[in-house]
Amino acid sequence: MENVQFSIVVATKGRVKLLEELIESIDVARGNYDGACEVLIVDDSSESDSEQIQKVCAAHDCRYLYHKNSVSAKRNYGVENATNDVILFLDSDCICTEHILERYAEKYSSEKVAAVAGPLEFVGEDTWFWKAIEATPFLTCFYLPKFLPKVEWGVTANFSVRKSVFIEVGGFDEKFKRPAGEDVDLGIKICKKGYDIMGAKDALVYHSKKTWIPVRAMFRRLNYYGTADCDLIRKHSDKGEVVVPKRSGLYFVYAILLALLAVASKQWWIFAGIPLIFIVENVIMSIVINGMEKEKKATFFQQFTAQLLIHDSDFAYLSRCFFTGRFLDMRRQMIYYLGQYDGMLKIGSYTTWINLSMFMSIIILAVAVL
């Protein structure tokens, strides 16, 4: 095992209690590791929270850095100030396991290994809304290092990288102002340089559900994800695959057709069909997904909510493509991992038939009205 020296970089804003719990878990991991390990906390909290965080840092031998900027810029600033060979990024709403540093060090067996990703396990109360989140595909990427020996990127809530390689590829792209997409971009840049990113299934981190289950915050998070997908495909076009028509895009088409039909016929009640189309399609897709993903055990209404979350991200993607003039990218889907495309085609075949049936229904409605 290589004698790896770690610099743990944590970007935070507020979350004083959660951050303290993370640092306490890091203390245990540092105590179990024979090599060098420093901890850098990059903060831009309010004055009162900042004072508390500085006290926590002083009590646990952590370096406190203040840097008011985006998450990407804060992490880059942490790396600039790091003194050790390997950077380990952790999020402030996580708890690391006691032997995480040893498990990471084991993977740095050759110079070709530029980075190592560890899996996350979400812990906390299983609320009604959390079950809906689990019925979406958005958690899959957090688990991939548990099952794959090699990955193309890693979630920065639990991701390590050689500092020299991080600098070589330009670090996090600070054009990603929101916390989404910058970690995917970093992994893609590393792989394009010919390096390997290994998965370390035992380098486990526990992620709190508390920061995910507020409904408004989750919809905002998925809006960020959708926006980031457009920017990622624009930057890495080879990662965007053309798929069957996006359901959210088709919903827009249906809405326009119904609106034109209502205006042309002066039958204003037809406008009521616009939200009805969305509801009917989501009901059908909820039934389909329940049948295909039986192990998720989500209720009908949780599946419906999951479809709302998926549409939220998809609408954000389409909007970003439209306002940046990337119209051809509207038919593309960001591919994050091997096997994702095949899964989309499987569900997409059902979607195509559902949308075809709905389109024929609108045609029949138009003939009946006009």
Side-chain angles (χ1 to χ4, degrees), residues 307-321:
Q307 295 301 308
L308 289 175
L309 290 167
I310 293 169
H311 273 287
D312 177 42
S313 179
D314 205 11
F315 282 145
Y317 173 80
L318 294 172
S319 298
R320 181 69 168 175
C321 289

Side-chain angles (χ1 to χ4, degrees), residues 28-323:
V28 176
R30 292 169 80 183
N32 290 327
Y33 186 62
D34 293 333
C37 179
E38 63 173 354
V39 181
L40 298 89
I41 307 299
V42 187
D43 174 46
D44 67 337
S45 302
S46 64
E47 185 175 349
S48 58
D49 283 347
S50 178
E51 289 176 357
Q52 294 183 59
I53 291 173
Q54 289 181 63
K55 290 178 181 178
V56 172
C57 288
H60 294 272
D61 188 28
C62 300
R63 291 170 59 193
Y64 177 87
L65 301 171
Y66 186 87
H67 192 65
K68 190 173 182 63
N69 214 314
S70 67
V71 174
S72 297
K74 286 161 68 176
R75 290 189 177 123
N76 284 341
Y77 187 68
V79 175
E80 288 176 21
N81 286 272
T83 59
N84 291 333
D85 305 327
V86 173
I87 310 299
L88 172 56
F89 296 104
L90 298 173
D91 274 0
S92 56
D93 51 356
C94 293
I95 299 292
C96 66
T97 46
E98 58 186 358
H99 295 290
I100 189 171
L101 296 175
E102 293 135 284
R103 302 293 84 82
Y104 265 121
E106 290 168 354
K107 294 294 181 178
Y108 285 97
S109 55
S110 75
E111 288 300 319
K112 192 178 180 183
V113 177
V116 183
L120 285 90
E121 181 179 321
F122 286 86
V123 294
E125 183 183 359
D126 277 338
T127 64
W128 184 93
F129 187 60
W130 179 256
K131 288 294 185 181
I133 295 172
E134 284 187 320
T136 72
F138 298 111
L139 298 181
T140 303
C141 293
F142 292 86
Y143 307 137
L144 288 180
K146 188 175 181 178
F147 305 105
L148 300 178
K150 187 181 294 186
V151 295
E152 294 184 290
W153 67 283
V155 178
T156 42
N158 186 19
F159 182 75
S160 67
V161 58
R162 295 187 190 273
K163 182 179 179 180
S164 58
V165 175
F166 183 88
I167 295 171
E168 180 184 347
V169 301
F172 291 112
D173 187 343
E174 296 183 16
K175 292 180 182 176
F176 290 91
K177 299 296 183 182
R178 296 168 171 177
E182 76 282 358
D183 45 6
V184 185
D185 174 63
L186 177 66
I188 293 173
K189 291 188 296 186
I190 291 172
C191 291
K192 284 183 176 179
K193 286 286 186 177
Y195 295 111
D196 289 336
I197 303 177
M198 308 303 293
K201 64 179 182 178
D202 296 320
L204 180 64
V205 157
Y206 297 107
H207 193 299
S208 174
K209 295 176 183 176
K210 291 180 181 178
T211 54
W212 277 58
I213 54 177
V215 176
R216 184 176 179 182
M218 189 60 194
F219 273 93
R220 183 170 63 248
R221 182 190 301 273
L222 294 184
N223 185 278
Y224 293 167
Y225 286 178
T227 300
D229 277 1
C230 177
D231 295 337
L232 285 167
I233 291 173
R234 178 173 52 187
K235 189 172 182 180
H236 306 284
S237 59
D238 57 314
K239 296 298 180 181
E241 292 284 355
V242 176
V243 297
V244 292
K246 287 178 173 289
R247 288 166 51 213
S248 299
L250 288 174
Y251 172 67
F252 275 130
V253 173
Y254 296 147
I256 292 171
L257 287 175
L258 283 177
L260 292 174
L261 180 61
V263 172
S265 63
K266 297 184 179 179
Q267 300 290 324
W268 309 117
W269 58 270
I270 295 177
F271 279 108
I274 295 176
L276 182 62
I277 281 180
F278 179 73
I279 293 171
V280 169
E281 184 179 26
N282 277 275
V283 166
I284 296 173
M285 285 306 299
S286 294
I287 294 171
V288 170
I289 293 175
N290 262 323
M292 296 174 64
E293 306 289 344
K294 294 178 181 179
E295 73 278 4
K296 292 188 176 179
K297 298 179 180 179
T299 67
F300 173 82
F301 291 107
Q302 286 166 341
Q303 281 286 359
F304 180 78
T305 303
Q307 295 301 308
L308 289 175
L309 290 167
I310 293 169
H311 273 287
D312 177 42
S313 179
D314 205 11
F315 282 145
Y317 173 80
L318 294 172
S319 298
R320 181 69 168 175
C321 289
F322 179 81
F323 287 111

